[in-house]
Amino acid sequence: MAVFRSGLLVLTTPLASLTTRLAPILTSAAQLVNHTLYVHLQPGLSLEGPAQPESSPVQATFEVLDLITHLYAGASVHGHLDVRVLLTNIRAKSAFLPPQFSSVQNLAHPPEVVLTDFQTLDGSQYNPVKQQLERYATSCYSCCPQLASVLLYPEYGSRAVSLEPQDAPSSSTIKPASPVARSPKQPVRGYHRGAVGGTFDRLHNAHKVLLSVSCILAQERLVVGVADKDLLKSKLLPELLQSYEVRVERLSEFLVDIKPSLTFDLIPLLDPYGPAGSDPSLEFLVVSEETYRGGMAVNRFRLENDLEELALYQVQLLKDPNHMENEEDKVSSSNFRQQMLGNLLRPPHKRPELPQNLYVIGLTGISGSGKSSVAQRLKGLGAYIIDSDHLGHRAYAPGGPAYQPVVEAFGPDILHKDGIINRKILGSRVFGNKKQLKILTDIMWPIIAKLAQEEMDLAVAEGKRVCVIDAAMLLEAGWQNMVHEVWTVVIPETEAVRRIVERDGLSEVAAQSRLQSQMSGQQLVDQSHVVLSTLWEPEVTQRQVEKAWNLLQKRIPKMPSGP
């Protein structure tokens, strides 16, 4: 069976009975499409007869919104599919006529295959229906020149279709602001202009529901606030957030795909109110269950500034039935970022100059991150650990390769009475003094690097395949040139400060100063291949490390064994 990168699914089944059939339809589509699946709702469309099938408007009702939510909820089972429900022909109830979109729509990923749930009379893909499907699809959407058309369930008439309800949201997509019953058939009101906001990291199906509701309500302009800067600081694993530019680019592509007739203003959201709190032309605001209180605060802010309240539409969250015990029970970007921990984020370095039979990992992280505990877990899995702090102690020791150069550079008053270097006095000399610190690092870093290379040879002699250099200053020292991959352990700065205070007996100010003298977690992650975190219970850290280790074993080149 051929598998296509992108496809267009035309759903012709009446809405009332479509929900129960979505799961098998999506499963069949997922077997044929491996990337982008566009879904076009066209209940009642006939692909038989000589007349050219034409797209017809679908009234936006609460039933339609719920169906769209069911589609995205069901699509979450098929993680490889980027599902996009096209809203071009879905019209909200409005006193004014929205602009008609009649020309062929250009999609970001032109469909290579067209699928439908249309039920043929004889249960076969006979040519007239296939040709009609091709004609219909190409009259509405740009498709690849060599378009292949496939009918889903061509044997609909010859076999029973399960009508068991599928996993789906248990209540209406939009929760009313006031306890007023809403009929599923009740039309959804349209507005000229409205707003929606969020982080929109790794655009997922819950985001798509929020954005789809917003696009159906808006008839002319939709303002999309994208959280940035200070609003990102409280996010879980902020180091793994996509950049603002990437999030905006992917948002824009999705929005233009699903409703090209709208004007979209994508702007950075720098405070809790954003344009929703100050733009007098806006009429509605779409929020999630989690951000509903924020929507209420926006309206209070507007009233305080003599602006009319916005109509609030609260969209329910999508549940994530596969979440881990330390993850949220909803579909969320936080879960996706947690699931990235232990994964390879970028291709490893090729280091032909390193020992042929040894794969070298550089392990780093800010002070207090739990880097050393991760190193010990890796040791338990079979890695050879090189502790750069221990190498530093060896280098400083009397007779060590750094002893005489350091004493000559900083004077004999840095020595204890027994001739050992007093590292506290030495530290007080270089801390906060960039010039003095550079003198010290120019001496120490090359010496420690040489000692580490000697340790690598010992690892090879012991028959180890993986060597880990545990070094807080790995990147500052330029030692990434000595490793195949950089692994970074991250935790929030507030947690790092708490751990440093507890572990080393420093004040919070001193702990913060120590962190400010190091590269930030974000700077480390930007140059890393694998990211881990010790933020949760020890067993969660262990699972992360084991995951990273097992994935590492699969990508380590097969090395010749023995001399």
Side-chain angles (χ1 to χ4, degrees), residues 279-336:
D279 189 339
S281 71
L282 298 179
E283 299 167 284
F284 73 85
L285 176 63
V286 176
V287 296
S288 70
E289 291 177 79
E290 284 186 336
T291 58
Y292 182 71
R293 288 185 178 180
M296 297 287 285
V298 166
N299 270 340
R300 288 195 297 271
F301 185 77
R302 287 177 69 92
L303 289 174
E304 291 169 2
N305 289 275
D306 299 322
L307 295 176
E308 290 189 8
E309 287 186 292
L310 300 175
L312 288 184
Y313 286 84
Q314 179 186 354
V315 176
Q316 71 175 107
L317 301 170
L318 291 189
K319 297 299 181 182
D320 180 3
N322 301 317
H323 70 280
M324 300 289 287
E325 59 181 300
N326 59 303
E327 295 175 349
E328 297 177 307
D329 64 355
K330 62 171 184 173
V331 175
S332 73
S333 300
S334 298
N335 286 358
F336 286 117

Coordinates of all heavy atoms in Angstrom, one line a residue, residues 279-336:
D279 N -7.6 47.0 22.9 CA -8.0 47.3 21.6 C -9.6 47.4 21.6 O -10.3 46.5 21.8 CB -7.7 46.1 20.7 CG -7.9 46.4 19.2 OD1 -8.8 47.2 18.9 OD2 -7.3 45.7 18.4
P280 N -10.1 48.6 21.3 CA -11.5 48.9 21.4 C -12.3 48.2 20.2 O -13.5 48.1 20.3 CB -11.6 50.4 21.3 CG -10.4 50.8 20.6 CD -9.3 49.9 21.0
S281 N -11.6 47.8 19.2 CA -12.3 47.2 18.0 C -12.6 45.7 18.3 O -13.4 45.1 17.5 CB -11.4 47.3 16.8 OG -10.3 46.5 16.8
L282 N -12.0 45.1 19.3 CA -12.3 43.7 19.5 C -13.6 43.4 20.1 O -14.1 44.2 21.0 CB -11.2 43.1 20.4 CG -9.7 43.1 19.8 CD1 -8.7 42.5 20.8 CD2 -9.7 42.4 18.5
E283 N -14.3 42.3 19.8 CA -15.6 42.0 20.3 C -15.7 40.7 21.1 O -16.6 40.5 21.9 CB -16.6 41.8 19.1 CG -16.7 43.1 18.3 CD -17.4 42.8 16.9 OE1 -16.7 42.2 16.0 OE2 -18.6 43.2 16.8
F284 N -14.7 39.8 20.9 CA -14.8 38.5 21.7 C -13.3 38.1 22.0 O -12.4 38.5 21.4 CB -15.5 37.4 20.9 CG -14.7 36.9 19.7 CD1 -13.8 35.8 19.9 CD2 -14.9 37.3 18.4 CE1 -13.1 35.3 18.8 CE2 -14.2 36.8 17.4 CZ -13.3 35.8 17.5
L285 N -13.3 37.2 23.0 CA -12.0 36.6 23.4 C -12.3 35.1 23.7 O -13.2 34.8 24.4 CB -11.5 37.3 24.7 CG -10.2 36.7 25.3 CD1 -9.0 36.8 24.4 CD2 -9.9 37.4 26.7
V286 N -11.4 34.3 23.1 CA -11.5 32.8 23.3 C -10.5 32.4 24.3 O -9.3 32.8 24.2 CB -11.4 32.0 22.0 CG1 -11.4 30.5 22.2 CG2 -12.5 32.4 21.0
V287 N -10.9 31.7 25.3 CA -10.0 31.2 26.4 C -10.2 29.7 26.6 O -11.2 29.2 26.2 CB -10.2 32.0 27.7 CG1 -9.9 33.5 27.6 CG2 -11.7 31.8 28.2
S288 N -9.3 29.1 27.3 CA -9.5 27.7 27.7 C -10.0 27.7 29.1 O -10.1 28.7 29.8 CB -8.1 27.0 27.6 OG -7.3 27.4 28.7
E289 N -10.3 26.4 29.5 CA -10.8 26.3 30.9 C -9.8 26.8 31.9 O -10.1 27.4 32.9 CB -11.0 24.8 31.2 CG -12.2 24.2 30.5 CD -12.3 22.7 30.7 OE1 -12.9 22.3 31.8 OE2 -11.9 21.9 29.9
E290 N -8.5 26.7 31.6 CA -7.4 27.1 32.5 C -7.3 28.6 32.5 O -6.9 29.2 33.5 CB -6.1 26.5 32.1 CG -5.9 25.0 32.5 CD -4.5 24.5 32.2 OE1 -3.9 25.1 31.3 OE2 -4.1 23.6 32.8
T291 N -7.6 29.3 31.4 CA -7.3 30.7 31.3 C -8.6 31.6 31.4 O -8.6 32.8 31.1 CB -6.6 31.1 30.0 OG1 -7.4 30.6 28.9 CG2 -5.2 30.4 29.9
Y292 N -9.7 30.9 31.8 CA -11.0 31.6 31.9 C -10.9 32.8 32.9 O -11.4 33.9 32.6 CB -12.1 30.7 32.3 CG -13.5 31.3 32.3 CD1 -14.1 31.7 31.1 CD2 -14.1 31.6 33.5 CE1 -15.3 32.4 31.2 CE2 -15.3 32.2 33.6 CZ -16.0 32.6 32.4 OH -17.2 33.2 32.4
R293 N -10.3 32.5 34.0 CA -10.1 33.6 35.0 C -9.3 34.8 34.4 O -9.6 36.0 34.7 CB -9.4 33.1 36.3 CG -10.3 32.2 37.1 CD -9.7 31.8 38.4 NE -10.5 31.0 39.2 CZ -10.2 30.5 40.4 NH1 -9.0 30.8 40.9 NH2 -11.0 29.7 41.1
G294 N -8.3 34.5 33.6 CA -7.6 35.5 32.9 C -8.5 36.3 32.0 O -8.3 37.6 31.9
G295 N -9.4 35.7 31.3 CA -10.4 36.4 30.5 C -11.2 37.3 31.3 O -11.5 38.4 30.9
M296 N -11.7 36.8 32.5 CA -12.5 37.7 33.3 C -11.7 38.9 33.8 O -12.2 40.0 33.8 CB -12.9 36.9 34.6 CG -13.8 35.7 34.2 SD -15.5 36.2 33.8 CE -16.2 36.7 35.4
A297 N -10.4 38.7 34.1 CA -9.5 39.8 34.5 C -9.3 40.8 33.3 O -9.3 42.0 33.5 CB -8.1 39.3 34.9
V298 N -9.3 40.3 32.1 CA -9.2 41.2 30.9 C -10.4 42.1 30.9 O -10.3 43.3 30.6 CB -9.0 40.4 29.6 CG1 -9.3 41.3 28.4 CG2 -7.6 39.8 29.5
N299 N -11.6 41.5 31.1 CA -12.8 42.3 31.0 C -12.9 43.3 32.1 O -13.3 44.5 31.9 CB -14.0 41.4 31.1 CG -14.5 41.0 29.7 OD1 -14.2 41.6 28.7 ND2 -15.2 39.9 29.6
R300 N -12.4 43.0 33.3 CA -12.4 44.0 34.4 C -11.4 45.1 34.0 O -11.7 46.3 34.3 CB -11.9 43.3 35.7 CG -13.0 42.4 36.3 CD -12.6 42.1 37.8 NE -11.4 41.3 37.9 CZ -11.3 40.0 37.8 NH1 -12.4 39.3 37.7 NH2 -10.1 39.4 38.0
F301 N -10.3 44.8 33.4 CA -9.3 45.8 33.0 C -9.9 46.7 32.0 O -9.7 47.9 32.0 CB -8.1 45.1 32.5 CG -7.0 46.0 32.1 CD1 -6.1 46.6 33.1 CD2 -6.7 46.3 30.8 CE1 -5.1 47.4 32.7 CE2 -5.7 47.2 30.4 CZ -4.9 47.7 31.4
R302 N -10.7 46.1 31.0 CA -11.3 46.9 30.0 C -12.4 47.9 30.6 O -12.4 49.1 30.2 CB -12.0 46.0 29.0 CG -11.0 45.3 28.0 CD -11.8 44.4 27.1 NE -12.6 45.1 26.1 CZ -12.1 45.5 24.9 NH1 -10.9 45.2 24.5 NH2 -12.9 46.1 24.1
L303 N -13.2 47.4 31.6 CA -14.2 48.3 32.2 C -13.5 49.4 32.9 O -14.0 50.5 32.9 CB -15.0 47.4 33.1 CG -16.0 46.4 32.5 CD1 -16.7 45.6 33.5 CD2 -17.0 47.2 31.6
E304 N -12.4 49.1 33.6 CA -11.7 50.2 34.3 C -11.1 51.2 33.4 O -10.9 52.4 33.8 CB -10.5 49.6 35.1 CG -10.9 48.7 36.3 CD -9.8 47.9 36.9 OE1 -8.6 48.0 36.3 OE2 -10.0 47.1 37.8
N305 N -11.0 50.9 32.1 CA -10.4 51.8 31.1 C -11.5 52.2 30.1 O -11.2 52.7 29.0 CB -9.3 51.2 30.4 CG -8.0 51.1 31.2 OD1 -7.2 52.0 31.4 ND2 -7.9 49.9 31.9
D306 N -12.8 52.2 30.6 CA -13.9 52.6 29.8 C -14.1 52.0 28.4 O -14.5 52.6 27.4 CB -13.8 54.2 29.6 CG -13.9 54.9 30.9 OD1 -14.6 54.5 31.8 OD2 -13.1 55.9 31.0
L307 N -13.8 50.7 28.4 CA -14.0 49.9 27.1 C -15.0 48.8 27.4 O -15.2 48.4 28.5 CB -12.7 49.2 26.7 CG -11.5 50.1 26.3 CD1 -10.3 49.2 26.0 CD2 -11.8 50.9 25.1
E308 N -15.7 48.4 26.4 CA -16.8 47.4 26.5 C -16.2 46.1 26.8 O -15.1 45.7 26.3 CB -17.6 47.4 25.2 CG -18.5 48.6 25.0 CD -19.5 48.4 23.8 OE1 -19.6 47.2 23.3 OE2 -20.1 49.3 23.4
E309 N -16.9 45.3 27.6 CA -16.5 43.9 27.8 C -16.5 43.1 26.5 O -17.3 43.4 25.6 CB -17.5 43.2 28.8 CG -17.3 43.7 30.3 CD -18.2 42.9 31.2 OE1 -19.4 43.0 31.1 OE2 -17.6 42.2 32.0
L310 N -15.6 42.1 26.5 CA -15.6 41.2 25.4 C -16.5 40.0 25.7 O -16.6 39.5 26.8 CB -14.1 40.6 25.2 CG -13.1 41.7 24.9 CD1 -11.7 41.0 24.8 CD2 -13.4 42.4 23.6
A311 N -17.1 39.4 24.6 CA -17.8 38.2 24.8 C -16.8 37.1 25.0 O -15.9 36.9 24.2 CB -18.6 37.9 23.5
L312 N -16.9 36.3 26.1 CA -15.9 35.3 26.5 C -16.5 33.9 26.0 O -17.6 33.6 26.3 CB -15.7 35.2 28.0 CG -14.9 36.4 28.6 CD1 -14.6 36.1 30.1 CD2 -13.5 36.5 27.8
Y313 N -15.6 33.2 25.3 CA -15.9 31.8 24.9 C -14.9 30.9 25.5 O -13.7 31.0 25.2 CB -15.9 31.7 23.4 CG -17.1 32.3 22.7 CD1 -17.2 33.7 22.4 CD2 -18.3 31.6 22.4 CE1 -18.3 34.3 21.9 CE2 -19.4 32.2 21.9 CZ -19.4 33.5 21.6 OH -20.5 34.1 21.0
Q314 N -15.4 30.0 26.4 CA -14.5 29.1 27.1 C -14.4 27.8 26.4 O -15.5 27.1 26.4 CB -14.9 29.0 28.6 CG -14.1 28.1 29.4 CD -14.7 27.8 30.8 OE1 -15.6 28.5 31.1 NE2 -14.1 27.0 31.6
V315 N -13.3 27.3 26.0 CA -13.1 26.1 25.3 C -12.6 25.0 26.2 O -11.6 25.3 26.9 CB -12.2 26.2 24.0 CG1 -12.0 24.9 23.3 CG2 -12.8 27.3 23.1
Q316 N -13.2 23.8 26.2 CA -12.7 22.8 27.1 C -11.4 22.2 26.7 O -10.9 22.3 25.5 CB -13.8 21.6 27.1 CG -13.8 20.8 25.8 CD -14.7 19.6 25.9 OE1 -15.8 19.6 25.3 NE2 -14.3 18.6 26.6
L317 N -10.7 21.6 27.6 CA -9.4 21.0 27.4 C -9.5 19.6 26.8 O -10.6 19.0 27.0 CB -8.6 20.9 28.7 CG -8.3 22.2 29.4 CD1 -7.8 21.9 30.8 CD2 -7.4 23.1 28.7
L318 N -8.6 19.2 26.0 CA -8.5 17.8 25.5 C -7.8 17.0 26.5 O -6.7 17.3 27.0 CB -7.8 17.7 24.2 CG -8.5 18.4 23.0 CD1 -7.8 18.0 21.7 CD2 -10.0 17.9 22.9
K319 N -8.3 15.8 26.9 CA -7.7 14.9 27.8 C -6.6 14.1 27.1 O -6.7 13.8 25.9 CB -8.7 14.0 28.5 CG -9.7 14.7 29.3 CD -9.1 15.5 30.5 CE -10.1 16.2 31.4 NZ -9.4 16.9 32.5
D320 N -5.5 13.8 27.8 CA -4.4 13.0 27.3 C -4.5 11.7 28.0 O -4.0 11.6 29.2 CB -3.1 13.7 27.5 CG -1.9 12.9 27.0 OD1 -2.2 11.8 26.4 OD2 -0.8 13.3 27.1
P321 N -5.1 10.6 27.4 CA -5.2 9.3 28.1 C -3.8 8.6 28.3 O -3.8 7.7 29.1 CB -6.1 8.5 27.2 CG -5.9 9.1 25.9 CD -5.6 10.6 26.1
N322 N -2.8 9.1 27.6 CA -1.5 8.4 27.7 C -0.5 9.1 28.5 O 0.7 8.8 28.4 CB -1.0 8.1 26.2 CG -2.0 7.3 25.4 OD1 -2.5 6.3 25.9 ND2 -2.2 7.7 24.2
H323 N -0.9 10.1 29.3 CA 0.1 10.9 30.0 C 0.7 10.0 31.1 O 0.1 9.1 31.7 CB -0.6 12.1 30.7 CG -1.5 11.8 31.8 ND1 -2.8 11.4 31.6 CD2 -1.4 11.8 33.1 CE1 -3.4 11.2 32.7 NE2 -2.5 11.4 33.7
M324 N 2.0 10.3 31.4 CA 2.7 9.6 32.5 C 2.3 10.2 33.8 O 1.7 11.3 33.9 CB 4.2 9.8 32.3 CG 4.8 9.2 30.9 SD 4.7 7.4 30.9 CE 6.1 7.1 32.0
E325 N 2.7 9.5 34.9 CA 2.3 10.0 36.2 C 2.8 11.4 36.6 O 2.1 12.0 37.4 CB 2.7 9.0 37.3 CG 4.3 8.8 37.3 CD 4.7 7.7 38.4 OE1 4.3 8.0 39.6 OE2 5.3 6.8 38.0
N326 N 3.9 11.8 36.1 CA 4.4 13.1 36.4 C 4.0 14.2 35.4 O 4.4 15.3 35.5 CB 5.9 13.1 36.5 CG 6.6 12.7 35.2 OD1 6.3 11.6 34.8 ND2 7.5 13.5 34.7
E327 N 3.1 13.8 34.4 CA 2.7 14.7 33.4 C 1.3 15.2 33.6 O 0.5 14.6 34.4 CB 2.8 14.1 32.0 CG 4.2 13.7 31.6 CD 4.3 12.9 30.3 OE1 3.2 12.5 29.8 OE2 5.4 12.8 29.8
E328 N 0.8 16.2 32.9 CA -0.5 16.7 33.0 C -1.5 15.8 32.4 O -1.1 15.1 31.4 CB -0.6 18.1 32.4 CG 0.2 19.2 33.1 CD 0.1 20.5 32.4 OE1 0.4 20.6 31.2 OE2 -0.2 21.5 33.1
D329 N -2.7 15.7 32.8 CA -3.7 14.8 32.2 C -4.4 15.4 31.0 O -5.3 14.8 30.4 CB -4.8 14.4 33.3 CG -5.6 15.6 33.7 OD1 -5.3 16.7 33.4 OD2 -6.6 15.3 34.5
K330 N -3.9 16.5 30.6 CA -4.5 17.2 29.3 C -3.4 17.1 28.2 O -2.2 17.0 28.5 CB -4.9 18.6 29.6 CG -3.7 19.5 30.0 CD -4.0 20.9 30.1 CE -2.8 21.7 30.4 NZ -3.0 23.2 30.4
V331 N -3.9 17.3 27.0 CA -3.0 17.5 25.9 C -2.3 18.8 26.1 O -3.0 19.9 26.1 CB -3.7 17.4 24.5 CG1 -2.7 17.7 23.4 CG2 -4.3 16.1 24.3
S332 N -1.0 18.9 26.3 CA -0.3 20.1 26.6 C 1.1 20.1 26.0 O 1.7 19.1 25.8 CB -0.3 20.3 28.1 OG 0.7 19.5 28.7
S333 N 1.6 21.4 25.8 CA 3.0 21.5 25.3 C 4.0 21.1 26.4 O 5.1 20.6 26.1 CB 3.2 23.0 25.0 OG 2.4 23.4 24.0
S334 N 3.6 21.3 27.7 CA 4.4 20.9 28.8 C 4.7 19.4 28.7 O 5.9 18.9 28.9 CB 3.8 21.2 30.2 OG 3.6 22.6 30.3
N335 N 3.7 18.6 28.4 CA 3.9 17.1 28.3 C 4.9 16.8 27.1 O 5.7 16.0 27.2 CB 2.6 16.4 28.0 CG 1.8 16.3 29.3 OD1 2.2 16.8 30.4 ND2 0.6 15.8 29.2
F336 N 4.7 17.5 26.0 CA 5.5 17.3 24.8 C 7.0 17.6 25.2 O 7.9 16.9 24.7 CB 5.1 18.1 23.6 CG 3.8 17.6 23.0 CD1 2.7 18.3 22.9 CD2 3.8 16.3 22.4 CE1 1.5 17.9 22.3 CE2 2.7 15.8 21.8 CZ 1.5 16.6 21.8

